[in-house]
Amino acid sequence: MNSRIVDAHRLMVSGKLKCTDLSEMCLQRIRDTIKLNCYITVNEQNALEAAKQCDNRYKNGKSLGVLDGIPVAIKDNFSTANIRTTCASRMLENYVPTFSATVVDKLCEQNGAIMLGKTNMDEFAMGVSNIDSFFGPCKNPWSPSFRFKVVRKDGHPYEVKSTGEEQKKKDKNEDDWLISGGSSGGSAVAVASGSCFAALGSDTGGSTRNPSSHVGVVGFKPSYGLLSRYGLIPLTHSMDTPSIIAKSVEDISVVFHSIRGHDLRDSTSLREEIKVPTKECRLENIKIGIPQEYESNAMADEIKLAWNQIADLLANKGAKVNQVSLPHTQYSSSCYMVINCTEVASNLACYDGIEYGYRAEAVPDDSFEDLITRSRHQGFGNLVKSRILSGNFFLLQENYERFFLKALKIRRLVCEDFDFVFKGEDRVDFLLTPVTLHPAYRISEWNNRNAIDDSEDEDFCTQPSNLAGLPAITLPCKITKDGRPIGLQLIGPKYSDYFLLSLANILEKLVEFPSLVYNGSENKLS
């Protein structure tokens, strides 16, 4: 068992730890690490009040379960009743919903978790860096200038190899931090920095797995339909997936089991129950595929090396590891972007400044159309506007068949590729792939890139599983020579979520990835 959540629950049941004390420690960590900018709204007063109610339940033997009193964070595109929900956009800067998303309600109201706040993100969940936020960038705690240290499982410091005087100068530069990845960067950083035990994110093309890989935590995207999308402000209806971030697979499993299930308010919610393993997962019974098309020329050498090393590790421990082919992967990024942009153009059309969203100041002789245009121009950031324009272009009558319908056909082919490797004659049980093509960039490196939207590169290994609705999990596996975490991804057949978590738990124990520990105050929360 490697569950911080279960350990904290046991302490609260025994009376050795109070929910209020635990919440106060987490809130103090938020204050200590405010420069990371991982929260947009901190829910301090409500959190402490909820923690007091939790203490009373434990005192009276009426605990709501293992999540009761556990501090969590929520990505700021999930609706939260009477708490601001901004999507990190000026367009929704002052929006306060009257209801909560189903997964938030299950996590906090039904299971008693303490919501500490709403986390930073790329605007409307579009982006892979978490610098595209109206509230400023979310920064990676693995940046050398922040007050964290890396500790091995045996408690000894993890020594990062020196890379010369030039690297040392960069490490001291507080203005040259590492990006956190996105779009769920705030949720990943909140977990990595120790201000919460778990966080909700959303994953449309890799938005949970990407930042989890960059900050050295576990990120899980369940099968499409297992977690309700009701109350998740949509980016794309056909791919958006509520997801979970935590420091261990066990913690992911605890949260997943507590919040999954059919929701009548979500038409895409699965009605049937999924299989739960009755036997212990054993590597000698597992076949793992290595998709040859995922080895991109743009992939960093250290990621290729980590991928090969973990494949060898699994093979040496008894798993059957074979190369497989997913031939339509080369088209999936373009397919994903067309579908993404078209659904964005449709879903964001309601933000007109008249009935909904930010409204620009009226100007004399303004027409109705002028006011809407100026409100949308001022309310949306550049990346969001570029995707809206692209989506409307793809949906023009003369382009509809050429782009949108063709993308739907390619999506079907991508799904069939996965069906073949998981169900064909030489089937495998799971796939092992990289998450990103490069470790977390320094902000100076990122800003020097030419493309406005680098999602096509950064989502290369992650978006195919969204197109197919498959479960996928990223685990931190290696650290680069200059001290940046690298995650690898396991992908399973649709609805194999519990089996995937079982395999991920085995791999996590084999890897024994070091911990990131805060080294800046007397607060002992790790």
Side-chain angles (χ1 to χ4, degrees):
M1 178 66 71
N2 183 26
S3 175
R4 298 167 74 235
I5 290 176
V6 171
D7 290 343
H9 173 68
R10 287 171 178 163
L11 290 172
M12 288 187 282
V13 168
S14 69
K16 295 178 181 178
L17 176 65
K18 287 189 175 182
C19 306
T20 47
D21 291 339
L22 187 58
S23 293
E24 284 174 349
M25 283 192 285
C26 288
L27 289 166
Q28 183 59 47
R29 178 60 54 81
I30 294 174
R31 299 183 201 106
D32 290 341
T33 59
I34 194 168
K35 288 184 178 180
L36 295 174
N37 197 32
C38 58
Y39 287 87
I40 291 175
T41 301
V42 179
N43 187 38
E44 181 168 354
Q45 186 174 349
N46 291 338
L48 292 176
E49 182 58 39
K52 290 178 183 177
Q53 295 174 13
C54 166
D55 281 333
N56 288 333
R57 288 195 294 270
Y58 274 107
K59 183 178 179 180
N60 296 320
K62 297 181 179 180
S63 166
L64 297 177
V66 70
L67 286 170
D68 203 3
I70 299 298
V72 299
I74 309 294
K75 186 176 179 180
D76 207 23
N77 57 347
F78 287 93
S79 297
T80 45
N82 303 316
I83 299 171
R84 186 171 66 148
T85 300
T86 71
C87 284
S89 177
R90 186 181 192 184
M91 184 60 77
L92 290 176
E93 181 181 7
N94 298 308
Y95 172 57
V96 179
T98 57
F99 69 100
S100 290
T102 296
V103 287
V104 174
D105 184 66
K106 284 186 174 182
L107 187 61
C108 300
E109 295 299 320
Q110 297 180 28
N111 285 282
I114 308 296
M115 180 181 16
L116 297 180
K118 306 297 291 294
T119 55
N120 205 347
M121 55 184 283
D122 286 298
E123 184 181 12
F124 278 99
M126 295 180 218
V128 293
S129 62
N130 213 149
I131 67 171
D132 295 304
S133 167
F134 179 66
F135 299 93
C138 177
K139 301 176 181 179
N140 193 327
W142 287 75
S143 307
S145 58
F146 290 122
R147 301 168 78 178
F148 288 85
K149 62 181 179 180
V150 184
V151 178
R152 296 183 184 275
K153 293 296 182 183
D154 60 10
H156 292 97
Y158 181 94
E159 297 295 336
V160 176
K161 296 179 181 178
S162 173
T163 52
E165 292 302 317
E166 186 63 30
Q167 185 67 46
K168 291 178 182 178
K169 289 178 183 178
K170 288 182 179 180
D171 290 348
K172 292 180 180 179
N173 183 4
E174 292 187 6
D175 295 325
D176 199 18
W177 37 270
L178 300 174
I179 65 168
S180 64
S183 64
S184 306
S187 290
V189 171
V191 171
S193 61
S195 67
C196 65
F197 282 65
L200 291 183
S202 64
D203 194 310
T204 305
S207 284
T208 291
R209 290 160 287 157
N210 172 302
S212 296
S213 176
H214 283 333
V215 305
V217 295
V218 184
F220 175 52
K221 182 197 83 70
S223 297
Y224 183 84
L226 292 189
L227 297 186
S228 171
R229 292 188 303 109
Y230 178 78
L232 171 62
I233 296 175
L235 174 63
T236 71
H237 284 296
S238 71
M239 292 182 285
D240 287 351
T241 309
S243 303
I244 306 163
I245 301 172
K247 282 195 172 181
S248 73
V249 176
E250 289 285 357
D251 284 346
I252 294 282
S253 300
V254 169
V255 176
F256 173 63
H257 190 71
S258 299
I259 66 176
R260 73 172 182 85
H262 178 62
D263 182 7
L264 289 171
R265 295 172 295 184
D266 176 9
S267 62
T268 62
S269 176
L270 183 72
R271 291 179 179 273
E272 297 82 14
E273 282 295 316
I274 62 172
K275 291 182 180 180
V276 179
T278 56
K279 296 181 180 179
E280 182 182 356
C281 181
R282 299 178 64 86
L283 281 182
E284 53 265 34
N285 299 326
I286 298 294
K287 295 179 181 179
I288 295 175
I290 307 294
Q292 59 189 21
E293 290 83 5
Y294 280 51
E295 189 171 342
S296 165
N297 292 331
M299 189 178 295
D301 289 340
E302 288 191 272
I303 289 185
K304 291 180 183 178
L305 178 62
W307 189 16
N308 291 330
Q309 288 176 336
I310 296 302
D312 290 342
L313 174 65
L314 289 168
N316 291 334
K317 294 296 182 179
K320 296 178 179 64
V321 180
N322 301 310
Q323 197 170 73
V324 297
S325 178
L326 298 168
H328 295 94
T329 298
Q330 59 181 315
Y331 310 115
S332 63
S333 290
S334 298
C335 164
Y336 168 78
M337 287 309 299
V338 170
I339 295 173
N340 183 300
C341 290
T342 53
E343 292 197 37
V344 163
S346 174
N347 288 330
L348 271 61
C350 63
Y351 301 103
D352 57 11
I354 304 300
E355 292 184 299
Y356 204 57
Y358 169 84
R359 181 183 297 182
E361 283 190 29
V363 174
D365 301 323
D366 238 358
S367 70
F368 185 71
E369 290 78 11
D370 289 338
L371 180 58
I372 291 176
T373 299
R374 198 166 57 257
S375 296
R376 287 172 68 82
H377 176 71
Q378 294 176 10
F380 290 131
N382 289 336
L383 178 56
V384 175
K385 286 185 282 193
S386 72
R387 291 204 187 180
I388 291 172
L389 290 171
S390 297
N392 281 307
F393 173 80
F394 296 141
L395 289 171
L396 289 173
Q397 185 174 357
E398 59 267 33
N399 295 328
Y400 184 80
E401 186 170 345
R402 180 184 172 195
F403 291 104
F404 183 62
L405 289 185
K406 187 174 289 185
L408 294 182
K409 292 176 182 178
I410 293 172
R411 183 177 188 175
R412 180 65 261 163
L413 294 174
V414 170
C415 294
E416 289 175 357
D417 283 350
F418 283 115
D419 285 343
F420 181 78
V421 298
F422 287 135
K423 300 176 183 178
E425 185 176 338
D426 297 320
R427 70 173 187 83
V428 296
D429 299 302
F430 302 99
L431 299 174
L432 175 69
T433 82
V435 180
T436 60
L437 301 184
H438 197 280
Y441 286 92
R442 291 178 179 272
I443 188 60
S444 58
E445 297 171 330
W446 185 259
N447 289 336
N448 285 335
R449 307 184 85 193
N450 294 322
I452 294 176
D453 181 8
D454 290 289
S455 296
E456 189 165 327
D457 277 348
E458 288 297 289
D459 288 344
F460 177 77
C461 297
T462 52
Q463 45 76 23
S465 61
N466 292 84
L467 290 171
L470 306 180
I473 189 168
T474 177
L475 297 168
C477 291
K478 298 287 288 185
I479 297 178
T480 65
K481 293 178 182 178
D482 60 353
R484 291 181 277 185
I486 294 174
L488 292 178
Q489 174 182 223
L490 290 168
I491 303 171
K494 189 177 287 188
Y495 309 136
S496 66
D497 298 59
Y498 280 111
F499 295 94
L500 179 65
L501 290 169
S502 296
L503 175 60
N505 190 39
I506 292 173
L507 180 56
E508 179 183 54
K509 292 174 180 176
L510 291 175
V511 170
E512 293 191 337
F513 189 78
S515 300
L516 191 67
V517 177
Y518 186 62
N519 195 32
S521 77
E522 293 303 313
N523 187 344
K524 300 300 182 182
L525 189 70
S526 62

